[in-house]
Amino acid sequence: MEIRVTINGEARTLTVHPWERLLHVLRRAGYKSVKFGDELGMSGASTVLLDGKPVDSAVLLAAQADGHRITTVEGLGTPDRLHPLQQAFIETGAIQSGYNTPAQILVAKALLDENPNPTEAEVREALAGVLDRETGYVKPVQAVLRAAAMMRGEPVEPFAPLERAIPIPAEFFDHPHDDDLPGEGGPAVQTRTRRPLVVTPPQARPRSVVGKAEPKVDALKLALGRPVFTDDFEMRGMLYAALLTSPHAHARIRDIDTSAAEAFPGVHAVLTYKNVPRVKYASGGQTYPNPPPHDQVSLDNKVRHVGDRVAVVAAETPEIAREALKLIRVDYEVLPAVFDPEAAMQPGAPVIHDEEDTVGIHDRTRNIVHHIEAAVGDAQAQWAKADRVFEGEYRVHQVQQAHIEPHVCITYWDEDQRLVVRTSTQVPFHVRRMLAPLIGLPVKRIRVIKPRIGGGFGGKQEMLIEDLCAHLTIATGRPVRLEYTREQEFTSARSRHPQILRFKTGVTNDGEVVAAELYLIGNTGAYGTHGLTVQMVSGFRALTTYNAPYSRFVCDVVYTNIPTPGAYRGYGAPQALFALEVHMEEIAEALGMDVVEFKRKNWIKVGDVMVMSRALGEGREGFEQVVRSSALAEAVEIGLRAMQWDQKRGRPGDGPVKRGIGMAVAMHGSGIAGLDMGAATIKINDDGSFNLLVGATDLGTGSDTVLAQIAAEVLGVPLEDIIIYSSDTDFTPFDTGAYASSTTYISGGAVYKAAMEVRRQILEHAAQHLLPGTRPDDLDLLDRHVIAPDGRQVSLERVALHSLHQADQKQIMASASHMSYESPPPFAAQFAEVLVDTETGQVTVERLLMVVDCGVAINPITASGQVEGGMTQALGYAHCEEMAYTDTGRVINTRFGDYHIYQANEMPDLQVIFVETYEPTGPFGAKAVAEIPKDGVAPALASAIHDATGVWIRELPFTPERVWRALRAAGRA
Amino acid sequence: MPNPTGYYRPRTIDEAVQLLSQPYIKTALLSGGALRLATDDLPYEALIDVQAIEGLSSIARTPDGTLEIGAAASLEAVVRSPDVPAMLRETLRRCVTWNRRNAISIAELVEYPETLPEAIAALLALDVTLVFAMPEERRLRLGDLQGNVSQPRLPEKGLIVRFEFPATNPWQTWGQAHVARTPADTAIVSAAVVLVVDNSGTVAQARIALSGVWDIPARLAEGAAAALTGRLLDAAAIARATAALNDEIAPVADYRGSVAYRRAMAGIVTRRALEACQARLAG
């Protein structure tokens, strides 16, 4: 059928099928700004304006749009004439991955079209329908308020953080800052949108580009909705893949009959265990050699969780592929399943990996993948010092990364018969290396391209679908696209490891922690990917913040029949720090000590050796490390003042709804010591600009911007003169990838080194040819010029032209690699303020403040965006997100809504304060910031709930029923 | 081929009813669509889009004060209309986002009651009547549809044309309460109450509806309402009502709440909703 629509003012006639959703028709017609987030329209990623009203095009038939006006972001502005909303989103740092930015801009446009002067509450209500997993909504709200002001003709100031030098005047936190953006709460909105505050040491050295609130280098194209994501790419002859997954938690496949599916018109290939080579691998995107066990194959004759791979189909259309899946007949022998890790370790439990070709399982019959033991210090002596011993058990649950862009991959043969893999991945180089043996091609015949990524959070640190897509291209010779459904994101992708953590801590009567032991049971689900390393990180994080002289970690990593956990932002730390911080506060309470004083007395300090750093590396022995920089004490102090801790703590109030305030401290890392490596290449162009090629992968964090800022600072140019490209295994140098908070510290270190070498070459050429009588060491780079001490200067353009074309010709360029045997910890103090309804157990989170020491914040706006977004994810982890199961191991809540992600209109007040230190091993003093926001929210909420009610809750999440039961058990309901 | 393979856009109710009656094609109405289309596996071969039928989206009061909301009116239109009872507007605004309110019609709300059970509870408390064209006009009180545990389905071959809300009684008051994981999350248990209280403070009429405490999304708690009717609206009466409620609910556990929790919450949210009524009367 034909529909007549007006799209962005242009009359169009489109041929559509009656079943087609408007989303797919618009994307086919070239409007790629309209994104897929889920099939139900709950994510809002597919939002368009229909006759000026926001609707989600995923749940609208194209036929319904017949006769209507449609607006997409492509119709709003141009690069030279941006819509004020696009401009404000860029200026405020509201764009991270940019995947749902078009949807946010469109709902904001609809709002401002009818209400040019909205309150903050109204903006939040408008944005509520577009789930944002990245920003915490702070900056999008600021962007809309800013755009509204611009559209009303009001002046707006450059968007920048507040800056204060230590010492901060005592009265600074006593009343709201006059320079906060105007905001207005509403009955359902407790928030006030603030700018980040950067607190600097008095001696901080001014920089030109580093430390500045530079707009993201990729923001313009994202604001314009340009086709920059994996699925925004079309190829002639593309086939569409669909994945058949297991309905059983544990079963052997006796047989698969694919004949009907193969005969279905439009089907080009059906792959099962019968026609795909059996090559063992581990899917985690980790450094060579991948940690054992290699317990997966592309397609197996056994399934180990609901959602496990069974078969994959390539067909002419997605609809045909889905129909073909229904025609595959699978004969399952259903096996007993086990979901609880303690039950899985018992004799007689179902053996999940009984296949002979998986090696490296610690105790196959008890489903124990790894048994870890590590201890440092003199146990006997330290326990003898302990006047009191405290034990506590804590349980944490399974949550999903829920990046709005699903896993999506396109594979095709290029003109040289090399396989190109265009994929939304955090680890392109690992994918290339790991993929090669599975598909029987040498690495040199594989090229992996990472376009923009619509969020990853660790979920894309995994080779999850690339092998299947590649197998199908090899089988058909055609380009193939495979994208997970939202349900598959929950059942067939990765998640956070559930854990049971049992602490035993020895303390002296005056509050000194002298001994600590942790026994951890990690549930790694059906496969062992990341199982070893996540639990080792948990152990390291749990035993390092308070750094007891005797520390011991014992861990069992256990197979069960739940969908496999993997890497998720924080990587073992959120679990560990919830348990640790609650345990420590319980100890302080039992000792009758002030919790802050108790923690302050014991937390690790500058100059301390991290006792477990050698014993607990990541998957292997680590390297001894010393804390070289920490502003934890200052962060806590500032946070206490900002929260008015002394005035609020211990004052729950009357009535059934109690108020509480809590805190936790957090410590993370910056990359993996001795393991992560990044590389960068920089070359000068004729006009004095530079190409910066990095293997690092910006998954929305702003790392491209930060890396470019580092290069720009060294080379004395504005950020716009750095053209960064990342990443393509054919063109960019190697990088382990975007994980472990490594990019700024490790990849940034590589950029710094490469830039320093390019700088050296520029100065040498200038001294030799253009500034006679000078020596390179006398020269400086500033404002696109080489500056001599006598005031002479020559432009970089002149240096470039001269070196490329005129004399002593050469390409000024350099490549550098960087790794580190240190992983300097960022520190943070996390605060929370809550209301607890003691009749219902409902917890309402009113305020979250994180005071962070991430060294020098290379870009305080992108850094604060990381903290705001990370705190919001952590809030979901602590409060409402949870993968729930049936008794047979099927995830119940695979839909957004059922799996509840915080919306813009229910957020607490979020605030970020940076307390800068100078980390001597980091580029320009930087440490990491990406993951630490995940670490402190859960224990700070537990602390606040305890402050409100006197009850400790030792299991996540803090659902109404869990809190209600705890209150009843304590007689406080 | 996936469903639907047919799409119709009738201009009159008669035309729509005729299309619905096609004997050999499984058809369904389409208004809004965000709930109907929330699956790739539609069981309908043809959809009849009612957007072009005049008057089906209107919201107006009749001379006798009855509020009529066209079946195709979007939830956003419902939220924005000052004529619509505040309880329904506040419930929808709290638990349905703007873009979804634009794409869900009020008819879909009752066709997919499990999606927004607390809104169904509000409609029940407000004593809504559904008017069908089949093609002759037929009326069904939502309470009669939803109050039965066996939950008879809506007539498949009938077109809901409008929702009728009784004229507002000057002695009427209302209250609602819920418990949820977060401020904008779907309620685990909710209560919606509409009372008519005479000038002596006696409850003349009570409609109490709850969600989350039966094996259907929401229904009226008639025992609790009966325990309240004819009594002064005071703490004792409220306690009687919540005690009566305990005898008539039959919660079903899910991942958000056990039977015991839902049972405990039913009394609390009902008490709070009734206390909100008290406060309104006092205020």
Side-chain angles (χ1 to χ4, degrees), chain A residues 13 228 270 284 344 396 406 423 425 428 457 528-529 555 578 734 749 759 909 939 958:
Chain A
T13 301
V228 296
V270 182
V396 291
T423 183
T425 181
F457 320 122
T529 172
C555 175
F578 164 67
F734 178 85
R759 175 190 169 94
D909 183 345
F958 304 125

Side-chain angles (χ1 to χ4, degrees), chain A residues 766 770-771 774 779-780 782-796 798-799:
Chain A
L770 301 169
L771 292 167
T774 63
L779 302 177
D780 201 0
L782 192 66
D783 197 18
R784 294 175 168 141
H785 286 77
V786 183
I787 311 289
D790 59 8
R792 285 180 295 158
Q793 54 181 277
V794 59
S795 71
L796 288 180
R798 177 90 180 91
V799 175

Side-chain angles (χ1 to χ4, degrees), chain A residues 1 18-19 21 39-40 42 47 53-55 59-61 63-64 66 68 107 110-111 114 125-126 128-129 319 322 326 837 839-840 842-843 879-880 884 892-893 895 897-898 900 902-903 905-906 960-961 964-965, chain B residues 1-7 9 30 32-34 37-42 47 49 51 80 93-94 97-103 178-185 188 255-258 260-261 264-265 268 271-272:
Chain A
M1 62 183 289
W19 63 79
R21 308 303 160 100
E39 295 80 0
L40 278 68
M42 298 296 290
T47 296
K53 295 176 183 170
V55 293
V59 282
L60 195 73
L61 292 180
Q64 286 178 278
D66 188 18
H68 294 278
V107 292
L111 172 70
E114 65 175 36
E125 188 181 350
E319 292 83 7
R322 283 198 296 269
K326 297 176 188 168
D837 185 331
E839 288 188 325
T840 65
Q842 184 172 306
V843 175
H879 194 202
C880 60
I892 297 167
N893 49 347
R895 299 173 162 199
D898 296 338
H900 188 76
Y902 260 83
Q903 300 173 177
N905 60 340
E906 57 179 341
E961 179 163 357
W964 176 77
R965 286 188 181 280
Chain B
M1 266 188 301
N3 280 328
T5 52
Y7 169 85
R9 195 185 283 188
L30 180 62
L37 299 171
T39 172
D40 277 336
D41 232 354
L42 271 179
L47 288 178
D49 183 350
Q51 65 170 281
R80 288 186 180 218
R93 198 169 168 198
R94 191 191 73 75
T97 60
W98 184 24
N99 26 0
R100 283 176 64 72
R101 292 200 300 264
N102 278 323
H178 71 276
V179 57
R181 292 172 294 187
T182 70
D185 190 17
I188 302 168
Y255 66 97
R256 295 185 308 142
S258 66
Y261 182 70
M265 291 307 108
I268 289 167
R271 189 198 79 218
R272 289 182 176 183

